[in-house]
Amino acid sequence: LSWPLSSILITSPYGPRWGRFHYGLDFRASVGTPVSAMAEGVVEGIGDTDIACKGASFGKWVFIKYKNGLSSTYAHLSAITATVGQSVKVGDVVGLSGNTGSSTAAHLHVVVHASTGVKVDTVPSKSCGGKVFTQPITALSAYLSPILYLPKTTANMYKK
């Protein structure tokens, strides 16, 4: 995979965080920063969980299935520029970073999945009783650490 942003600063890694497990990688990105496809693939889903329950889950999101057996979800976007069924190549802009959904500040949240263990589905909201979300749903065994598939990092790419 390639980097989804032109400037990389990792603000929260994949792994334990705040007493829970963080299943993605967070990057510093001000609202409106272009977000690019990390490999060749097809946009399999887009959506906005804020429609059902403001401030919960991914907010505006884009889900891409790549030709290499991996998939990714980009979350908390301010805008979605991709469409479902669109073929993408490395570097194609699919959205703009933002602060939607369950987010404390503007950033890009990236989840990497084994494609066989993830699908876009509709599920009941845990935050808003009686509401439902449509978003990528991943088997626990299909979550992958994005850092294992991205280019090599250096110490100055991590927030201190």
Side-chain angles (χ1 to χ4, degrees):
L1 300 177
S2 68
W3 294 113
L5 301 167
S6 61
S7 177
I8 301 302
L9 183 66
I10 298 165
T11 58
S12 187
Y14 177 92
R17 177 181 83 168
W18 305 332
R20 299 179 62 172
F21 198 90
H22 185 233
Y23 288 98
L25 192 61
D26 289 349
F27 297 92
R28 180 181 63 192
S30 57
V31 172
T33 302
V35 176
S36 302
M38 297 185 289
E40 188 175 345
V42 175
V43 177
E44 296 275 325
I46 60 173
D48 184 355
T49 62
D50 281 347
I51 293 169
C53 183
K54 185 120 177 93
S57 198
F58 287 153
K60 288 184 174 81
W61 56 268
V62 172
F63 174 69
I64 304 170
K65 186 180 256 186
Y66 301 115
K67 291 185 175 183
N68 61 8
L70 301 175
S71 296
S72 69
T73 301
Y74 299 130
H76 311 304
L77 303 173
S78 62
I80 297 167
T81 59
T83 57
V84 174
Q86 176 183 344
S87 292
V88 293
K89 296 182 193 119
V90 173
D92 286 351
V93 175
V94 297
L96 304 175
S97 64
N99 189 23
T100 61
S102 180
S103 171
T104 57
H107 72 288
L108 173 64
H109 176 78
V110 175
V111 182
V112 172
H113 326 260
S115 291
T116 56
V118 60
K119 66 179 180 175
V120 175
D121 204 357
T122 301
V123 295
S125 168
K126 294 178 183 175
S127 304
C128 295
K131 304 285 184 173
V132 295
F133 288 139
T134 299
Q135 66 180 39
I137 303 298
T138 309
L140 280 178
S141 61
Y143 281 106
L144 303 171
S145 175
I147 212 70
L148 298 175
Y149 301 92
L150 289 162
K152 185 174 167 62
T153 59
T154 59
N156 65 345
M157 297 170 97
Y158 291 87
K159 182 179 176 185
K160 295 177 179 36

